[in-house]
Amino acid sequence: MSGQQKTIVSIENLEVSFSTDAGAIKAVDRVSLEVAAGEVLAIVGESGSGKTVTAKSILGLLPETATARGAIILSSRDGGGAPGAGSSHNNDVLSLSKKQLRGIRGSDVSMVFQEPSTALNPVYTVGWQIAEGLRAHGKYTRAEAKAKAIDILGRVGIPDPETRVNYYPHQFSGGQKQRVVIAQALVLDPGLIVADEPTTALDVTVQAEILDLLRRCRDEFGTAIVLITHNMGVVADLADRVAVMYQGEVVEQADAVTLFSDPQNDYTKKLLASVPHIGQGALQTVERASARATDWQNATPVVVASGLRIEYPGRFGRGGFVAVDGVDFEIRAGEVLGLVGESGSGKTTIGRAIGGLTRVTGGSLKVLDHEMNGIRERVFKKVRSDIGFVFQDPASSFNPLLTIADCVAEPLVVHGRAGNPREARARVDELLEAVQLPKSYGDRYPHELSGGQRQRASLARAIALEPALLIADEPTSALDVSVQARVLELFAELQREFGFAALFISHDLAVVDLLADRIAVLYKGKLVEEGTGSEVLGSPKHPYTQRLLASLPVPDPVEQASRREALRALRADEARAAGTS
Amino acid sequence: MTNSPTRTKSTPTSTRLPRPARRSLLSRLPVVHQLRQSVGLQRGMLVAGLIITGVFIICAVFAQFIAPYGFAQLRGPDGQFGAQLPPSPEHLWGTTVGGYDVFSRVIWGAQTALEVMIVAIVLSIFLGVFLGLVSGYFGGWLDRILVVLADAIYAFPSLLLAIVMSIVISGGQSNLYGGILAAAISITVVYIPQYFRVIRAETVRIKGEAFVESAKVIGASNARIMVRHVLRNSTRTLPLIFTLNASEAVLTLAGLGFLGFGIEPTAAAEWGYDLNKSLSDVTSGIWWTAVFPGLAIVLSVLGVTLVGESLNDLADPRLRGRRAVAAAAGDVAATSVVPGGTLEAGLGGLSGLEGCGDFDDSGTRTHTDTSHTDTSQPERRQP
């Protein structure tokens, strides 16, 4: 962005250690960073790399179990300094007292959190919450504070801010809530905003809007931003400079264009290589299609949905919520169907209905020749041995009190293939090897495995009975991009080997493209588009698919800039179309 | 990658099964484990609580060896003890207005208190846990009815309820076992709702966890899911309520005794009864008949509560105190072995595996996570 501007924050040789039950653990190791005014610095790295800890220490937000060494020099925007900090314009955050820290938080540096729905207090209006920061840092009358809140809400793009200022958080959508959180961070006009994964909890289409807003923060407010993310697309879209962190250290620092075009460090190269791109899966799909028998098309499909409708009962006196509305699709034997859609589009509901976890309320859903509409659990229980299920969150999908071997043996024991987990151990070892986990991992407890390992064990459990159908509900969305790449590869390999049909649910088009033979796009409970990867992603017909595709940030700053323009044009078209109709 | 030097690194390629180092059986026992984990003030509280509780339990178990006289003994070899005697070598803590030896009554009283505590808690734990599990897991009308019932019981003052129960069960007064059972059952009725609510809340929470759903899609039966997956995970808070209720059980028993609904002095020694009988002594300057049973009640309750509170604090990683670490101490936890773990990385061999070390990323990650989910989980406490 600039060369002549002053430095807002400079981190020098920061070291942070945590006291844990297993002794001391160092999270940040000799990190030195600088952020200039009006610059966006992205800190990328996988979970546990120390990026969040580094960013949080800028606000002095480390937990009590942490000890820090080094210096974080933060400049005061108005040159006033924190109260009691003397005449200095710069403060070393690590040496400030709690009172001085309160002084700089909000006015010199503020934070945007990952999950907008938990960052806002549900029992206060958003206006009150924005004004809270003002009240903490100066004297404002009620009317002044409200006027300021209305002003800032308008500037972050909340329509009709005079009315909305009195709304409660639940009256806003997820993206709007994140706008409110950003407004809260901006209201005192700090020199620096720390944004911790600001778009991770949002849908791709909303993410693009929030990234636009953050860019405007930089351009219009002149705010420097420290952006913490694991999404390389987001980095390419927003960042001016990128710092790559690995195991507590900054391994590479460069401006965004250089980093993406010419990464120096090995880790950076591998990290960039593991980001899935659209179009990667096309070759694989063609190869698999050609390998299939000719009469494959005529075989009975594993899953047939026609006019499938799933409605959740509403509260007394209110209508139910229709999650899935008249969806038709089929999954043939040995085929991977990718189901894409934003949150609330009904994609998980469809997966759960096939697994018999959610009741079908209308239409027809045939799973392995069993009609699910009105099926009894007793009848379906036998069918369950032919269905595997992989859940989204690897942290909670294992019983924390059972070893991995016991967990993987569970389906074998339940369906009588083994009397107890010990008898099943030989088969469990085979399964663990199939998902490339050492046999000895069977004796560990789930918390002793990392997220990627747990997800692999979850795959082992799902394929234990060699099912004809596997339902994978966002199996990689809780994983780091590097780990995700390996889990996806493993999934593809297992699918080749065992030949099960699969429903692969994801919000990430690139991930689905990598694996799926066909892609179905869901939007507000309706199936808007279905076809092979090249059909849907190459020439999307439905406007929603087009927008979804255009919103997906690609890990290349130059290409992303042009895509941004394309998206803007698309949105303008849509707005015009909506205006005329 | 840098692995912790203190941990043995498992070698996945060797033919023998390298098991991760397990803690010894002793250190995995509930209280011992927490004792090792604790530091500073929390350790002090826990140790104090354990000592007081230990003395209480020893007194209760070995009452007949420790106490010089029986709980209903009025005469020694030299004839009648005499009433309201001050402390002396024969009667260490003096005698009561009824002519009993205070020291012996206090020691024997511990036995009664412990018996009532155990019976009451065993009864209420089994019933409460069972009802909570069934009610929380199946939900529906059964759940509604049980919750309303539990709420209704909450609405009564617990002592009043205990009095009513003790009248219903034993007509107010009775012999040793009748008295203990009456007291225990009346306490049980008051505490079942607490266990019920806690287990039900945990069950409802765990029912929504992915591992229960995953057991469902596997096809496991309801009974199997309830016992193997839900129950085992929902008993986490039981030791806490257990200890807190144990102390309340002592108080309720003493309250019943004090009000005259307890156990006959000839059937068993009981601190509440002794306190009641010493009421008139207090005004006439006879302190020993009231102070010692009173202290016994206070100390036994204090000891058990200290244990309970410390266990509660230690069970929660956010409340657990830890030794401070030196700045920049410790090793960097390995986040992954293959940096990035790219698509080309050797898929066939075990050598290309991510994360073979004992340390995984969760060690550091849980810390950064808890700092911003700090307020999301309010501490579960019983009223």
Side-chain angles (χ1 to χ4, degrees):
Chain A
M1 266 318 271
S2 57
Q4 81 284 4
Q5 268 144 333
K6 60 169 187 166
T7 307
I8 288 287
V9 66
S10 86
I11 302 175
E12 285 154 23
N13 269 324
L14 178 70
E15 292 180 272
V16 182
S17 293
F18 282 95
S19 157
T20 70
D21 292 338
I25 283 190
K26 202 181 220 176
V28 176
D29 192 9
R30 291 190 302 279
V31 163
S32 300
L33 290 170
E34 277 194 0
V35 186
E39 183 189 45
V40 178
L41 171 77
I43 306 180
V44 291
E46 50 200 281
S47 36
S49 61
K51 56 187 193 301
T52 300
V53 176
T54 308
K56 281 196 164 172
S57 42
I58 300 177
L59 285 99
L61 276 178
L62 291 175
E64 277 174 22
T65 51
T67 45
R69 198 164 72 181
I72 300 174
I73 311 293
L74 181 72
S75 80
S76 280
R77 190 168 224 209
D78 51 5
S87 58
S88 76
H89 292 189
N90 294 333
N91 301 302
D92 180 3
V93 175
L94 294 183
S95 61
L96 289 182
S97 70
K98 281 195 174 161
K99 191 167 173 234
Q100 290 167 328
L101 272 178
R102 275 203 297 277
I104 62 158
R105 283 181 196 152
S107 57
D108 292 340
V109 56
S110 59
M111 182 138 185
V112 174
F113 293 93
Q114 175 171 356
E115 182 66 72
S117 46
T118 54
L120 293 172
N121 189 335
V123 298
Y124 291 107
T125 62
V126 295
W128 188 92
Q129 296 185 52
I130 292 172
E132 192 182 20
L134 293 171
R135 280 196 297 274
H137 288 279
K139 282 200 160 61
Y140 289 87
T141 65
R142 200 175 276 252
E144 278 169 3
K146 190 163 185 181
K148 234 173 153 188
I150 292 173
D151 173 54
I152 200 82
L153 279 178
R155 283 162 83 183
V156 297
I158 299 274
D160 192 15
E162 289 82 11
T163 325
R164 297 289 189 96
V165 74
N166 292 324
Y167 278 20
Y168 287 89
H170 71 268
Q171 290 167 295
F172 292 93
S173 71
Q176 282 177 327
K177 266 187 250 179
Q178 192 64 298
R179 282 175 193 272
V180 171
V181 173
I182 292 172
Q184 215 176 357
L186 281 175
V187 70
L188 281 160
D189 207 12
L192 178 70
I193 291 182
V194 175
D196 185 2
E197 305 263 12
T199 59
T200 307
L202 305 174
D203 290 316
V204 185
T205 46
V206 182
Q207 166 175 303
E209 291 166 19
I210 294 297
L211 290 177
D212 265 345
L213 174 61
L214 285 173
R215 206 174 359 260
R216 273 182 42 218
C217 287
R218 180 192 66 192
D219 299 343
E220 290 175 19
F221 295 73
T223 315
I225 298 175
V226 171
L227 174 75
I228 306 160
T229 183
H230 64 273
N231 188 331
M232 295 311 269
V234 170
V235 174
D237 193 45
L238 188 60
D240 300 315
R241 226 151 42 78
V242 186
V244 182
M245 281 191 77
Y246 176 59
Q247 297 203 352
E249 287 172 53
V250 172
V251 292
E252 187 166 359
Q253 226 184 124
D255 66 275
V257 180
T258 322
L259 185 102
F260 280 97
S261 58
D262 183 24
Q264 297 300 315
N265 186 279
D266 267 355
Y267 175 73
T268 315
K269 285 179 194 162
K270 283 176 178 163
L271 193 65
L272 286 173
S274 56
V275 179
H277 305 272
I278 292 235
Q280 260 178 331
L283 203 68
Q284 201 187 342
T285 315
V286 173
E287 190 182 304
R288 278 167 31 157
S290 63
R292 286 202 176 101
T294 44
D295 60 342
W296 176 77
Q297 287 280 357
N298 307 324
T300 337
V302 181
V303 177
V304 190
S306 54
L308 174 64
R309 187 181 159 87
I310 299 169
E311 193 178 333
Y312 288 110
R315 282 206 207 130
F316 186 74
R318 274 195 224 166
F321 171 72
V322 180
V324 179
D325 190 8
V327 167
D328 306 284
F329 66 91
E330 52 185 51
I331 307 174
R332 296 185 199 93
E335 180 192 46
V336 181
L337 176 71
L339 203 54
V340 194
E342 59 191 12
S343 49
S345 62
K347 54 189 194 307
T348 296
T349 306
I350 290 180
R352 290 171 59 87
I354 295 174
L357 288 173
T358 299
R359 194 171 284 279
V360 175
T361 51
S364 151
L365 176 68
K366 273 193 159 177
V367 180
L368 301 162
D369 282 336
H370 286 73
E371 174 56 55
M372 295 300 288
N373 194 349
I375 197 168
R376 298 186 76 88
E377 175 62 31
R378 198 170 301 156
V379 182
F380 193 60
K381 188 158 268 178
K382 291 175 199 79
V383 188
R384 287 193 190 279
S385 64
D386 274 332
I387 301 175
F389 213 114
V390 180
F391 289 88
Q392 173 172 4
D393 185 6
S396 70
S397 60
F398 282 102
N399 186 338
L401 298 176
L402 299 180
T403 62
I404 292 295
D406 286 350
C407 288
V408 176
E410 192 76 358
L412 299 165
V413 175
V414 165
H415 287 279
R417 310 276 167 92
N420 56 46
R422 221 172 305 121
E423 283 175 38
R425 187 59 202 253
R427 172 80 181 125
V428 168
D429 285 347
E430 275 174 40
L431 286 165
L432 288 180
E433 244 160 61
V435 296
Q436 298 161 7
L437 283 176
K439 278 190 277 190
S440 62
Y441 275 40
D443 295 318
R444 295 197 179 183
Y445 285 89
H447 70 267
E448 295 173 306
L449 267 59
S450 70
Q453 291 168 342
R454 254 179 263 164
Q455 207 57 309
R456 282 194 233 154
S458 188
L459 266 174
R461 177 173 61 184
I463 59 166
L465 296 164
E466 301 197 4
L469 173 66
L470 188 86
I471 301 157
D473 185 3
E474 305 250 18
T476 59
S477 60
L479 303 177
D480 283 317
V481 65
S482 51
V483 181
Q484 161 177 304
R486 295 186 55 76
V487 171
L488 290 177
E489 176 75 2
L490 179 70
F491 186 92
E493 190 164 295
L494 289 174
Q495 207 271 335
R496 252 196 312 278
E497 195 175 319
F498 291 87
F500 46 76
L503 178 70
F504 193 94
I505 300 167
S506 179
H507 65 276
D508 191 338
L509 274 173
V511 166
V512 169
D513 176 47
L514 207 60
L515 285 181
D517 296 308
R518 281 185 304 122
I519 296 178
V521 183
L522 273 179
Y523 181 54
K524 293 189 173 163
K526 290 194 168 71
L527 196 73
V528 294
E529 192 152 359
E530 194 196 346
T532 62
S534 48
E535 280 167 20
V536 172
L537 304 178
S539 53
K541 290 177 195 71
H542 194 273
Y544 173 71
T545 321
Q546 290 167 358
R547 192 149 52 95
L548 192 65
L549 203 58
S551 307
L552 190 74
V554 293
D556 180 349
V558 183
E559 196 192 333
Q560 179 58 25
S562 62
R563 283 173 62 96
R564 207 154 55 215
E565 290 311 311
L567 177 63
R568 206 161 289 155
L570 196 70
R571 274 214 213 110
D573 281 352
E574 248 172 60
R576 215 171 305 127
T580 52
S581 65
Chain B
M1 58 166 282
T2 47
N3 219 320
S4 169
T6 54
R7 293 277 189 118
T8 47
K9 194 179 162 188
S10 60
T11 47
T13 39
S14 68
T15 43
R16 276 192 311 124
L17 285 183
R19 281 163 179 266
R22 294 280 292 273
R23 285 170 291 151
S24 70
L25 182 69
L26 179 71
S27 63
R28 272 186 291 141
L29 286 175
V31 176
V32 182
H33 171 59
Q34 270 97 1
L35 186 59
R36 291 192 177 198
Q37 219 174 21
S38 59
V39 288
L41 182 67
Q42 279 173 350
R43 180 168 218 151
M45 271 171 64
L46 182 58
V47 168
L50 284 175
I51 290 174
I52 297 174
T53 314
V55 169
F56 166 67
I57 290 174
I58 288 171
C59 286
V61 173
F62 300 106
Q64 62 197 102
F65 306 110
I66 297 171
Y69 309 104
F71 53 84
Q73 203 172 344
L74 285 171
R75 53 179 70 239
D78 317 328
Q80 292 272 0
F81 290 156
Q84 299 178 325
L85 294 179
S88 66
E90 290 81 47
H91 302 289
L92 284 177
W93 292 348
T95 59
T96 68
V97 65
Y100 299 114
D101 178 51
V102 175
F103 180 65
S104 305
R105 290 280 298 178
V106 169
I107 300 292
W108 281 104
Q111 194 173 51
T112 317
L114 187 68
E115 280 165 0
V116 169
M117 225 188 250
I118 289 173
V119 175
I121 281 165
V122 165
L123 286 179
S124 46
I125 271 193
F126 278 106
L127 265 172
V129 167
F130 174 76
L131 289 178
L133 192 63
V134 170
S135 169
Y137 186 76
F138 289 109
W141 59 268
L142 177 77
D143 183 44
R144 299 250 174 101
I145 290 174
L146 285 173
V147 168
V148 167
L149 264 180
D151 284 348
I153 293 178
Y154 263 132
F156 283 100
S158 62
L159 195 60
L160 181 68
L161 198 65
I163 291 170
V164 172
M165 287 311 295
S166 110
I167 294 173
V168 169
I169 291 165
S170 64
Q173 298 277 318
S174 65
N175 60 353
L176 174 61
Y177 292 105
I180 286 178
L181 271 182
I185 290 174
S186 45
I187 293 167
T188 302
V189 173
V190 180
Y191 290 144
I192 282 181
Q194 289 196 10
Y195 290 99
F196 167 78
R197 299 221 81 163
V198 168
I199 293 294
R200 179 182 167 277
E202 283 280 291
T203 305
V204 168
R205 180 181 68 82
I206 289 165
K207 200 171 75 166
E209 296 259 333
F211 66 84
V212 172
E213 299 217 310
S214 117
K216 256 186 221 164
V217 289
I218 282 168
S221 63
N222 283 331
R224 187 181 171 89
I225 295 175
M226 270 163 69
V227 175
R228 193 171 167 85
H229 297 291
V230 179
L231 178 61
R232 284 185 62 183
N233 282 294
S234 58
T235 52
R236 208 179 39 170
T237 45
L238 276 189
L240 168 69
I241 329 172
F242 173 83
T243 47
L244 292 183
N245 277 359
S247 59
E248 280 188 60
V250 174
L251 283 180
T252 311
L253 177 69
L256 280 177
F258 186 80
L259 293 173
F261 294 95
I263 304 160
E264 291 269 5
T266 47
E270 209 255 295
W271 296 330
Y273 175 88
D274 290 354
L275 267 187
N276 182 11
K277 293 296 161 212
S278 68
L279 266 182
S280 54
D281 299 350
V282 178
T283 45
S284 50
I286 300 167
W287 52 271
W288 56 89
T289 51
V291 164
F292 295 112
L295 267 182
I297 294 173
V298 170
L299 284 178
S300 56
V301 171
L302 180 71
V304 178
T305 310
L306 276 177
V307 173
E309 286 289 345
S310 334
L311 288 186
N312 179 38
D313 286 0
L314 289 170
D316 190 332
R318 286 166 293 157
L319 296 177
R320 183 158 66 221
R322 295 191 179 87
R323 286 187 186 86
V325 292
D331 293 296
V332 178
T335 48
S336 63
V337 170
V338 180
T342 50
L343 289 168
E344 313 82 76
L347 261 175
L350 290 170
S351 54
L353 281 178
E354 156 237 340
C356 292
D358 284 325
F359 263 75
D360 60 17
D361 45 355
S362 60
T364 33
R365 203 172 42 191
T366 46
H367 271 285
T368 54
D369 280 351
T370 48
S371 53
H372 57 80
T373 54
D374 241 343
T375 49
S376 62
Q377 285 186 323
E379 193 185 344
R380 201 189 322 281
R381 290 289 294 274
Q382 277 299 304

